[in-house]
Amino acid sequence: METISINNIKENDSFSGDLLIDSSFVLLPQTAPVSNELLDALKEWEFDTIYCEGSIGISSTSDGKSNSKDSDEESHKMGESIKKAIENSKKQFIGNSDYSRMKMVQRVYDEYMNYVESVFTHYATHKKIDQAELAETVQELCVFIKENKSYILRVNPSFETSNKIFLVGHALRTTVIAIAIALQLHMPLSKMIELGETCILHEIGMLRLPPQLYMTDRKLTPGERMQIHKHPLLGYQIVKELDFPLTIQLGVLEHHEDENGTGYPRRLTSEKISNAAKIIAVACSYEAITSPRKYKEERSSFEAILELLQNKNKKYDDTIIKALLYTVSLYPLGSYVFLSSGKPALVVDTNPNNPKCPVVQLLTEKEKDGSPKTLQTEENGTKIARILSKREKEDLLALLEKTQKEEETKAEIQAQNSEKAGVPNENASAEKDSPQTPASSTEINAEKEQEASPQEAEVQSVNSDGTENVDISFFS
């Protein structure tokens, strides 16, 4: 990667590789021309050097002007290629196993990440957003979430920030959570599309702030925090300049307003805050708590839902929090838990009648046909005893991965032997289609089973049978 002085870059210069501010922030995609506005912004932000994965490769046009038409066509083609990739991922989904469907959803999610990144990058470089394409893409996302809600809410965000600017990962995951809440509230599709567009753009004002403010791994000074607090207003100015509908403008402007009037930038109270902003506020907070940042570790989704249920100082709308609770359950989708039977399990679906009793997938048992074994937890039967600690989860996943590799190796050997003998192996594909699990849970350290994080201990009480007792009766 080459280091390039800002003073050596001229308007309309293009590069054979991406221009970057650091190892993760793409400032300008390859072949895109440098604008005077970008150079002025870099000087204003006091950047003396930037980085490039290539070199100057495409010169200015003969008349000294950048070819914006070609850039727009490239953006259009990029949007079309993402749509094709999403469709191809859906077509590659074969069979009905939980594992293959989860892999398909992860691939589609990654493609939507690429799309959101392209929206941010194209705005940063061209000050344009294709509203029609954005609306169409969000509509497709709404349908996809409705069809795959219990899977897409289990997508792990842990490594999204490693290769992409965190704003992209935050924008998409907040959008997924917000649309899922909207589905729970039976919001009309047209309103969901507007909500999704607002979610994708709700942090776009950050692009008008120095990147070192929101990409730092240190605690911000009071002055820097005041600058960060300007991003809703900056975002509002952006979507207003681009002539987005007023509902989207207000959602971007108000997503940090609190019900009690202590939010920013205008300190609005409940009755003056738009409904979209209220949903984004809850979804945004839930996402922020459960995702890693350079300056903090992520907390469990269980801790996040408990914090929001407490709703200290009445910052959030209770109706939205209740909708989130029924969307992800008290023990949120994707959580690893111990059951009252002593078995480890994964929360894979919600219970529309009781958020305390979600559907779980047993991790040490399978059905006779080799498919994952699921169980509906019950308050008067097998219930969730507690969430696994971070260490327990890591140990369990390592054990599952080891067992899966052993079983895959065994299946490959069986397939090879069957081919040599001329006998078809009917089970080989099925065995590869789903992750294998250990025969029992005895390898999970018994001492760890008694552990609970300090945060959990502060917010929960325990029943006589050892299971957690969380009061959600005020939502009844």
Side-chain angles (χ1 to χ4, degrees), residues 101-358:
R101 188 167 180 179
M102 189 67 209
K103 285 182 67 177
M104 180 274 289
V105 169
Q106 179 69 64
R107 285 195 297 268
V108 173
Y109 187 92
D110 290 342
E111 294 299 343
Y112 276 111
M113 283 274 288
N114 292 335
Y115 174 74
V116 174
E117 183 178 35
S118 75
V119 171
F120 277 56
T121 301
H122 194 67
Y123 174 76
T125 57
H126 295 80
K127 299 297 184 286
K128 294 179 182 178
I129 294 175
D130 188 329
Q131 293 190 41
E133 183 179 75
L134 179 60
E136 184 180 347
T137 304
V138 170
Q139 180 174 339
E140 293 171 353
L141 179 60
C142 290
V143 174
F144 187 77
I145 292 172
K146 184 176 181 180
E147 294 174 347
N148 301 277
K149 188 178 73 169
S150 63
Y151 293 89
I152 199 166
L153 288 172
R154 286 156 53 190
V155 170
N156 187 351
S158 297
F159 298 103
E160 287 174 7
T161 54
S162 61
N163 296 317
K164 297 183 185 295
I165 176 176
F166 95 89
L167 291 178
V168 174
H170 173 68
L172 179 59
R173 193 157 180 258
T174 299
T175 301
V176 168
I177 295 166
I179 291 174
I181 291 173
L183 286 167
Q184 181 66 38
L185 294 170
H186 305 291
M187 188 177 286
L189 179 59
S190 60
K191 294 294 184 183
M192 276 197 287
I193 293 171
E194 280 192 348
L195 173 65
E197 291 181 76
T198 309
C199 273
I200 288 176
L201 302 174
H202 78 282
E203 302 283 29
I204 200 166
M206 290 285 196
L207 296 182
R208 288 192 175 175
L209 294 172
Q212 58 264 37
L213 284 180
Y214 53 82
M215 297 186 70
T216 183
D217 56 0
R218 61 174 175 79
K219 189 174 181 180
L220 296 177
T221 65
E224 289 172 332
R225 188 166 293 280
M226 285 184 65
Q227 283 187 277
I228 287 289
H229 284 190
K230 295 177 182 177
H231 80 269
L233 185 58
L234 295 173
Y236 165 75
Q237 291 172 346
I238 290 172
V239 293
K240 185 178 181 181
E241 289 167 3
L242 294 173
D243 202 27
F244 275 89
L246 180 60
T247 50
I248 293 178
Q249 295 177 30
L250 292 177
V252 171
L253 178 64
E254 298 170 357
H255 72 275
H256 276 297
E257 298 288 356
D258 296 337
E259 293 285 297
N260 59 13
T262 61
Y264 61 91
R266 297 190 293 166
R267 294 184 175 273
L268 300 179
T269 50
S270 175
E271 69 280 0
K272 297 177 182 178
I273 304 172
S274 67
N275 194 46
K278 293 183 179 188
I279 294 174
I280 296 172
V282 171
C284 186
S285 296
Y286 181 80
E287 194 284 328
I289 295 170
T290 58
S291 294
R293 296 286 188 268
K294 288 187 176 182
Y295 53 87
K296 75 172 184 68
E297 287 191 6
E298 75 273 23
R299 290 159 61 195
S300 73
S301 50
F302 178 67
E303 293 174 87
I305 197 71
L306 286 183
E307 181 173 316
L308 290 172
L309 283 171
Q310 289 179 322
N311 198 11
K312 291 181 178 178
N313 302 318
K314 294 296 179 182
K315 288 181 61 175
Y316 308 106
D317 187 304
D318 280 334
T319 302
I320 309 300
I321 295 176
K322 181 179 180 180
L324 174 66
L325 174 65
Y326 277 82
T327 297
V328 301
S329 90
L330 180 62
Y331 303 96
L333 294 165
S335 298
Y336 287 85
V337 298
F338 267 126
L339 303 178
S340 56
S341 60
K343 298 175 181 177
L346 171 68
V347 179
V348 295
D349 207 351
T350 57
N351 180 347
N353 300 316
N354 188 346
K356 294 176 70 174
C357 299

